[in-house]
Amino acid sequence: MTRSRWILITLLMGLALGSAAQEPVVNGRPLGEWVLLASDHPKGAEAEKTVDALTAALELDDLMARVKAMDAMALMGPAAKKAAPALIQQLTMDQPWVRAAAMGAVASMGKDAVPFIITAMQGDNETVRIRSAFILGSIGPMAHEAVPYLEGELEKESEANRVRFLGLLGQIDPDKYGETAAASKASFDPDAAKDDGMGMGIITDWPRFHGPNHDSTCREIGLLKEWP
């Protein structure tokens, strides 16, 4: 082997080792290892250790590492449900792409996340409350457990939020609220989302492959019959 080739191999190995050294370590392992474990859909104690590590990663200053951890939990779905409260806390972040990752991870848990979402909506943080409500709409009919709570909140809401809540109810229980939501233009109105400054319009987009709920299903209603 020529000297130049040895030098090239040495440089490449150094770059690889340097990259590994820069990766954050969580609960004794590089974050990438936990992400790989999550993609293998671990069970039992292994799943619990993986979720604990990925949850700990949400405390890192590195936002890309947080998103990496949240995307990994989205792959685990309901198996990561114990992380739901920590994920919901990420809804206060200023960066829309961080919030989108958190919302996608919680939505991937389906009905198992609903009790945690309702608890978050009962808190004092208005931003978290509204964004949590939008996750319920993303979950769709699997969030039916939340219908009584949302119905109870309708009378307390401002007109703008009432319209949004009707839209969410239309997505969760289309048989009962579908027509009402369509008539009120309530289903994820992107213009309304821009107006409130809370960035809730991200759910109108598909921030990841297969959509926000990873099921290739669009739950928006009241769409135009004809497009200009």
Side-chain angles (χ1 to χ4, degrees), residues 51 55 73 76-87 105-106 109-114 116:
V51 174
T55 303
M73 284 190 273
M76 296 183 71
K81 66 181 181 180
K82 65 184 291 188
L87 288 165
V106 176
M109 300 171 188
K111 64 180 182 180
D112 289 339
V114 173
F116 298 105

Side-chain angles (χ1 to χ4, degrees), residues 61-135:
D61 292 333
D62 184 344
L63 296 184
M64 289 302 297
R66 292 193 198 187
V67 170
K68 191 174 181 180
M70 289 189 282
D71 286 345
M73 284 190 273
L75 293 175
M76 296 183 71
K81 66 181 181 180
K82 65 184 291 188
L87 288 165
I88 290 171
Q89 289 179 9
Q90 301 298 309
L91 301 182
T92 61
M93 297 297 294
D94 292 333
Q95 297 80 3
W97 46 280
V98 177
R99 298 196 304 264
M103 296 173 89
V106 176
S108 73
M109 300 171 188
K111 64 180 182 180
D112 289 339
V114 173
F116 298 105
I117 298 171
I118 293 175
T119 298
M121 291 183 65
Q122 294 171 342
D124 296 330
N125 191 314
E126 180 70 4
T127 300
V128 170
R129 192 174 75 86
I130 298 300
R131 288 175 181 159
S132 296
F134 270 65
I135 299 176

Side-chain angles (χ1 to χ4, degrees), residues 82-223:
K82 65 184 291 188
L87 288 165
I88 290 171
Q89 289 179 9
Q90 301 298 309
L91 301 182
T92 61
M93 297 297 294
D94 292 333
Q95 297 80 3
W97 46 280
V98 177
R99 298 196 304 264
M103 296 173 89
V106 176
S108 73
M109 300 171 188
K111 64 180 182 180
D112 289 339
V114 173
F116 298 105
I117 298 171
I118 293 175
T119 298
M121 291 183 65
Q122 294 171 342
D124 296 330
N125 191 314
E126 180 70 4
T127 300
V128 170
R129 192 174 75 86
I130 298 300
R131 288 175 181 159
S132 296
F134 270 65
I135 299 176
L136 292 173
S138 172
I139 293 174
M142 288 188 295
H144 198 272
E145 176 186 346
V147 168
Y149 174 77
L150 292 174
E151 289 175 333
E153 293 296 295
L154 279 177
E155 300 304 321
K156 309 173 187 177
E157 294 297 332
S158 65
E159 184 58 30
N161 281 347
R162 178 179 166 81
V163 167
R164 291 175 186 143
F165 275 45
L166 282 171
L168 301 175
L169 285 165
Q171 294 191 330
I172 298 169
D173 190 347
D175 291 339
K176 183 176 180 179
Y177 285 99
E179 293 184 6
T180 303
S184 63
K185 299 180 180 179
S187 180
F188 291 146
D189 185 341
D191 292 327
K194 292 174 185 175
D195 290 342
D196 67 14
M198 288 195 281
M200 292 182 293
I202 57 174
I203 287 296
T204 61
D205 299 324
W206 282 42
R208 63 187 75 241
F209 189 57
H210 287 313
N213 202 29
H214 301 278
D215 59 2
S216 300
T217 300
C218 175
R219 294 185 175 86
E220 296 192 31
I221 59 177
L223 299 177

